[in-house]
Amino acid sequence: MRLWTPPATDSATEWLAASPGASVVDVSAQSRTLYIQARTPGDLPPVETLLADLEGQIPDGVPVVVVTSEGRQVQAGRVGG
């Protein structure tokens, strides 16, 4: 699972580039779930874009959760699903 974090960090950084001022705070894998902590001054870009970019880099079926700086958790969905 540790191998997931470098490609997931790259994908999340590219994904958040669509939202000015947004950045990745941390990416971690816990209990076969990928958590992306993001700081964003506005709305998040569509999570479908992030999931599509993670395909082929993270095993299919892995749940992705985005946690915003305000503490909001967004269940993005599952990779490849």
Side-chain angles (χ1 to χ4, degrees):
M1 288 191 307
R2 233 180 299 155
L3 297 175
W4 299 351
T5 55
T9 300
D10 292 344
S11 293
T13 300
E14 288 179 30
W15 170 64
L16 286 175
S19 180
S23 62
V24 175
V25 175
D26 187 44
V27 174
S28 62
Q30 301 169 18
S31 302
R32 290 198 49 83
T33 298
L34 187 65
Y35 291 90
I36 298 171
Q37 294 182 347
R39 180 177 296 122
T40 179
D43 292 334
L44 292 171
V47 292
E48 294 80 14
T49 306
L50 174 62
L51 291 174
D53 195 43
L54 289 171
E55 282 189 51
Q57 299 184 66
I58 307 298
D60 284 353
V62 171
V64 177
V65 177
V66 178
V67 182
T68 67
S69 49
E70 298 84 30
R72 186 170 55 113
Q73 286 195 6
V74 177
Q75 305 293 326
R78 293 181 181 270
V79 175

